[in-house]
Amino acid sequence: SRVYDGTATANASLFVTGGVLVTGVNGETLGLAGTGVLVSKNAGDSGVALSDTSGLTLLDGTGKASNYTLGGGSVIISKAPLTITAAASSKTYDGTTVISTLPTVLGSVYDAHTLSESYSDPNAGSGKTLTPQIVFANSADAANYNLTLVNNSAGVITPATLYYTATPTSMIQGNALPTLTGTITGLKGSDSLETVTQGTANWSTTATQTSPVGRYNINGAGVTLKNGNYMLTQAAANDTALTIQATPAPTSTQDPTPT
């Protein structure tokens, strides 16, 4: 017998005991060398028969090899042990359970496969469960392994950031302040403002009608969060979203042509 290795080969050592092949004829023994081919590579409870013995050669022992013909044989292939353990990982909330971190592998994987791991749920938090997964290109190959999947409870998802994002605008010094507007940006996945926030955004500035020419902030307020998947802050561009321009010089109506 042997452990699954992804091949259909059978080394001669599998069929001998103590280096000899017992013939059952008057206690004679033979040697065996080379490699045979099995009808299948797959693990199973019953023996997998040899399909090709041409690569195996009988050798003289206490008996003469020329007195014997190799009729065949079988090998019991046991499942290969394989443990897939999720690795600790962290990410910023994105509305999904997907993570690019790959789990660790204890044992050999002999067949084409894809490894991955994922969070048990998409929400922000610490001590979150990470679950490993292995998918074989040929699903039948999974039966050749004694597979153990080990979760990891050290996952972290940090909150994403929502931004009060002011709409840039301008005014003439001395005029009334314009209507200030903006939006809340940074939503992830299928989230909507209705599902993650409550309240109505309002917009204000520290500038007044008489403020000096320059650039001023427009900041948002009035919205609260419904869950811990987000934090809310001002967009960096808000600091200079309002431009106050100088009052234009009056246009002369005097005829410049001398009389």
Side-chain angles (χ1 to χ4, degrees):
S1 64
R2 67 166 173 80
V3 176
Y4 177 78
D5 65 1
T7 74
T9 59
N11 189 273
S13 61
L14 296 173
F15 304 100
V16 298
T17 303
V20 297
L21 184 65
V22 178
T23 68
V25 178
N26 298 324
E28 291 185 346
T29 61
L30 299 174
L32 186 66
T35 302
V37 179
L38 301 170
V39 296
S40 169
K41 69 170 187 172
N42 295 320
D45 295 331
S46 58
V48 180
L50 283 165
S51 64
D52 184 357
T53 60
S54 61
L56 292 168
T57 303
L58 290 171
L59 304 174
D60 288 346
T62 59
K64 296 283 290 181
S66 58
N67 291 328
Y68 295 88
T69 298
L70 185 60
S74 65
V75 176
I76 295 175
I77 300 177
S78 58
K79 296 183 178 184
L82 182 61
T83 300
I84 311 294
T85 303
S89 188
S90 64
K91 71 169 186 174
T92 300
Y93 172 80
D94 62 3
T96 75
T97 60
V98 176
I99 186 68
S100 59
T101 304
L102 295 179
T104 60
V105 178
L106 179 62
S108 297
V109 187
Y110 300 102
D111 304 288
H113 65 282
T114 302
L115 291 170
S116 64
E117 65 182 62
S118 60
Y119 289 93
S120 57
D121 67 75
N123 297 317
S126 59
K128 301 188 70 66
T129 300
L130 291 157
T131 302
Q133 185 178 32
I134 181 169
V135 177
F136 289 93
N138 179 357
S139 59
D141 287 332
N144 292 313
Y145 299 87
N146 274 325
L147 179 62
T148 301
L149 298 174
V150 181
N151 293 342
N152 188 310
S153 60
V156 176
I157 298 179
T158 57
T161 303
L162 291 179
Y163 296 94
Y164 284 109
T165 303
T167 302
T169 189
S170 62
M171 61 174 282
I172 301 297
Q173 186 183 36
N175 289 355
L177 289 170
T179 299
L180 305 178
T181 61
T183 58
I184 294 178
T185 61
L187 289 167
K188 304 297 181 181
S190 61
D191 289 347
S192 66
L193 288 178
E194 290 75 16
T195 60
V196 302
T197 67
Q198 57 189 8
T200 302
N202 55 77
W203 306 87
S204 63
T205 179
T206 56
T208 67
Q209 287 180 272
T210 59
S211 294
V213 170
R215 306 190 76 172
Y216 295 85
N217 63 357
I218 300 176
N219 286 331
V223 170
T224 57
L225 299 170
K226 291 182 178 179
N227 58 52
N229 290 333
Y230 293 94
M231 54 185 178
L232 189 58
T233 191
Q234 305 293 329
N238 288 5
D239 285 344
T240 56
L242 174 62
T243 302
I244 296 181
Q245 300 170 338
T247 303
T251 302
S252 173
T253 57
Q254 182 178 355
D255 185 353
T257 305
T259 56

